[in-house]
Each structure stands twice: as structure tokens, then as C-alpha cells.
Amino acid sequence: MLLDALPGESLYKTAVRNALSDDDLAELASEPPQGHGRWSHTDLLLADIIDRLGVVGWALHAYEKPPEPYHRPGIVRRRRGRSNPAIKAQIAEIAREHAELHGYSLDDPPT
């Protein structure tokens, strides 16, 4: 099961293809594909390049906000929801402690 999840260009999958006869390969090729398969390393690198170019475009003010990352298979995008009040309280406490430690007020942060 784990070996089936390897990318098509992996050494294992290449060795399996090389061990099959031409008739066996033709039979496998005639079967419809199941699912979409994994992305190769090259595909992942290209998606990373797309993301980085988007950030460069945003930094050069070509976009008003940072672009969404290019969709990769198997990664579910999560929408930003409402923030957790407990986390907000914890962040406020850390900010208050930092202000006390460094001698400033949160109403008048240092410049």
C-alpha cells in the first residue's frame, strides 16, 4: 500500500515498469486511471515557483493583497474564521507582560 503511493518517477516504480513485459505494460496502460495520482517533484517545484512569483508581484504592487498559494493535490485550503477569544486573551496578556518588562504602556507603545 505504501509503495503504491510513491510517485511514478521513483526508483521503485521505475524498477517495476522495467520488470514488466511489453504486453503487461500495454494492458496496464489500457486500464482507466484511478484517482489523480501524486504530483512529481518537478510539479511541486513549479507550484513553488508560481507562489514565489506571486509574492514578488505583490511586493512590486502588482496585486492589492498577497495571492493565494497555487493549489496542490491533497491540501485542503482553510478559510480564516473568527479568532479564538482564549487565544486573543493570551496574546493580550503576553503584550501586557512585555510592556511591563520594558517600561512602556500599551496605550503609548515605543517608537
Side-chain angles (χ1 to χ4, degrees), residues 50-73:
I50 291 169
D51 290 343
R52 289 173 189 247
L53 286 174
V55 170
V56 168
W58 172 65
L60 295 173
H61 304 289
Y63 309 111
E64 290 182 18
K65 59 181 182 176
E68 291 289 322
Y70 192 79
H71 178 71
R72 283 130 170 110

Side-chain angles (χ1 to χ4, degrees), residues 95-96 98-111:
R96 186 189 59 74
H98 186 269
E100 286 178 6
L101 180 67
H102 294 284
Y104 66 91
S105 168
L106 288 177
D107 298 327
D108 185 31
T111 57

Side-chain angles (χ1 to χ4, degrees), residues 46-96:
L46 286 172
D48 191 46
I49 289 171
I50 291 169
D51 290 343
R52 289 173 189 247
L53 286 174
V55 170
V56 168
W58 172 65
L60 295 173
H61 304 289
Y63 309 111
E64 290 182 18
K65 59 181 182 176
E68 291 289 322
Y70 192 79
H71 178 71
R72 283 130 170 110
I75 298 175
V76 179
R77 292 182 185 170
R78 287 189 269 166
R79 293 184 178 183
R80 288 188 174 180
R82 295 182 181 157
S83 59
N84 186 337
I87 293 175
K88 276 188 169 182
Q90 187 177 14
I91 291 172
E93 178 63 22
I94 291 170
R96 186 189 59 74

